Amino acid sequence: MPREWCLDDFELARPLGKGQFGRVYSMRERRTGFIVAMKVLLKSELLKANMEHQLRREIDIQSNLKHKHILRLDTFFHDETRVYLVLEYAPQGELYRQLKKVRTFPEWRASKYIYELATALAYLHRKHVIHRDIKPENLLLGCNGEIKISDFGWSVHAPSSRRNTMCGTLDYLPPEMVEGRSHSSHVDLWSLGVLCYEFLVGHPPFEAKDEAAEDTNDRESTFRRIAKVELTIPDHLSDDAKDLIRKLLQRNPDQRLALERVMLHPFITRHNGVGSSKNRS
Ligand code: AMP
């Protein structure tokens, strides 16, 4: 029978951060000394926000995934008041923070991240999972600075026509999702294009000028720009980078470059030595 875990099996190493529904700590497993990240969620908060179902789905999906660029969910347990998710520890933290520090990444670095994301998304899509919330805040970095996709709170099994309540930023959502149409795994290709742009330019391509898009006018303007694919790519980007971004940010989901072709695109192969044993996954 699988072993039942409890809080006493771990000791606190240090707090890592605070999310929407609870806190995250690094913890040491007492028996082995193994370091994990533990996300502690209050049941009362989950119930209040009606998130119980979403959390169950997140656990169900993430615990069945095993890929070097996807954050592993090792196990979970609960007591009367809390749910504890035992996650792989990502020592280099959020990619978002690193990007804010340097504003833009050089092309080799953006290319490495896009390649790692493409391998992880190809794995997810083969398992009929769509992430639907690929953005820098949901990307963590492992001990060698490698990408770890986290936060499967919005993920679903494909295909989906479920409407997104769109409470967060619109910036990474494709036209079919902001317009509330049915969507497929091709939504993640769009987000990959948005990320590639943001890595190289320093902000997402359809962001309203005044940012802090809480403002209704800003949301409307982002919405309109996404729906019309109003894309302007700065001249200083290489032709390869521009080409990849344009091929991913296609309004028609079926015309977006497939992940296998993303991995073979010159913007990726130029920097990643695809085909060498290091990059075979
Ligand atoms: P979240 O609740 O997922 O938004 O996480 C809150 C914060 O905790 C994030 O901003 C991260 O910096 C940190 N964090 C979450 N999960 C991990 C992890 N597996 N490894 C390292 N830091 C993490």
Side-chain angles (χ1 to χ4, degrees):
M1 222 182 65
R3 179 165 164 353
E4 290 281 334
W5 292 92
C6 71
L7 196 53
D8 280 345
D9 293 322
F10 300 89
E11 62 183 358
L12 178 69
R14 68 183 178 93
L16 292 173
K18 194 172 174 303
Q20 204 185 346
F21 292 99
R23 292 174 186 276
V24 184
Y25 305 89
S26 65
M27 305 283 268
R28 187 174 296 105
E29 204 253 304
R30 288 184 199 275
R31 206 170 42 90
T32 57
F34 195 74
I35 300 283
V36 295
M38 189 180 283
K39 194 181 264 199
V40 182
L41 305 159
L42 276 173
K43 285 184 176 175
S44 55
E45 294 287 316
L46 291 168
L47 286 172
K48 220 188 318 170
N50 223 344
M51 294 294 284
E52 206 189 340
H53 177 71
Q54 187 167 319
L55 179 65
R56 277 179 202 278
R57 195 180 47 209
E58 181 175 351
I59 291 174
D60 179 43
I61 289 179
Q62 203 173 349
S63 56
N64 283 303
L65 302 173
K66 205 167 184 188
H67 188 277
K68 63 180 173 178
H69 296 304
I70 295 175
L71 196 79
R72 179 100 187 114
L73 172 63
D74 285 323
T75 187
F76 71 98
F77 52 91
H78 61 109
D79 58 23
E80 248 170 57
T81 52
R82 298 179 177 85
V83 180
Y84 304 87
L85 304 185
V86 181
L87 295 155
E88 175 183 359
Y89 173 49
Q92 293 197 26
E94 273 180 40
L95 178 68
Y96 178 76
R97 250 182 248 165
Q98 306 245 350
L99 181 60
K100 287 294 142 205
K101 239 188 268 169
V102 292
R103 207 183 73 81
T104 59
F105 293 141
E107 290 206 355
W108 67 265
R109 190 167 173 191
S111 167
K112 170 185 177 296
Y113 291 148
I114 297 297
Y115 176 69
E116 292 176 351
L117 280 164
T119 65
L121 289 173
Y123 168 83
L124 285 180
H125 294 176
R126 273 199 303 277
K127 290 178 98 53
H128 306 289
V129 172
I130 325 177
H131 188 282
R132 303 200 309 174
D133 200 16
I134 296 290
K135 55 184 178 187
E137 293 89 326
N138 289 340
L139 303 175
L140 294 171
L141 296 170
C143 54
N144 297 314
E146 75 280 23
I147 291 269
K148 302 276 176 184
I149 300 183
S150 77
D151 206 334
F152 282 74
W154 275 113
S155 60
V156 283
H157 281 104
S160 174
S161 58
R162 217 174 131 252
R163 270 168 184 263
N164 194 327
T165 47
M166 296 197 292
C167 44
T169 172
L170 294 179
D171 283 312
Y172 302 86
L173 299 181
E176 64 272 25
M177 272 180 89
V178 295
E179 288 169 357
R181 287 184 277 124
S182 68
H183 50 267
S184 66
S185 61
H186 295 178
V187 298
D188 290 336
L189 299 175
W190 176 276
S191 313
L192 196 60
V194 174
L195 267 188
C196 188
Y197 183 103
E198 181 169 10
F199 288 163
L200 298 171
V201 181
H203 59 82
F206 308 106
E207 181 182 82
K209 289 284 171 268
D210 289 334
E211 220 334 66
E214 295 299 304
D215 191 295
T216 321
N217 291 334
D218 284 349
R219 279 180 78 84
E220 272 169 20
S221 125
T222 304
F223 179 102
R224 206 178 40 249
R225 298 186 63 198
I226 292 173
K228 288 192 184 157
V229 195
E230 276 176 27
L231 179 65
T232 336
I233 307 181
D235 258 357
H236 69 267
L237 266 58
S238 70
D239 288 344
D240 287 342
K242 287 180 196 153
D243 185 70
L244 179 60
I245 291 168
R246 282 203 196 96
K247 285 183 170 150
L248 286 168
L249 296 180
Q250 290 288 320
R251 183 175 159 86
N252 180 344
D254 295 331
Q255 282 174 6
R256 292 174 200 152
L257 197 66
L259 290 167
E260 295 67 32
R261 297 187 60 195
V262 171
M263 292 180 222
L264 294 174
H265 189 278
F267 178 70
I268 301 299
T269 52
R270 187 152 54 88
H271 298 284
N272 286 279
V274 175
S276 72
S277 56
K278 180 174 136 257
N279 278 309
R280 266 184 224 132
S281 63

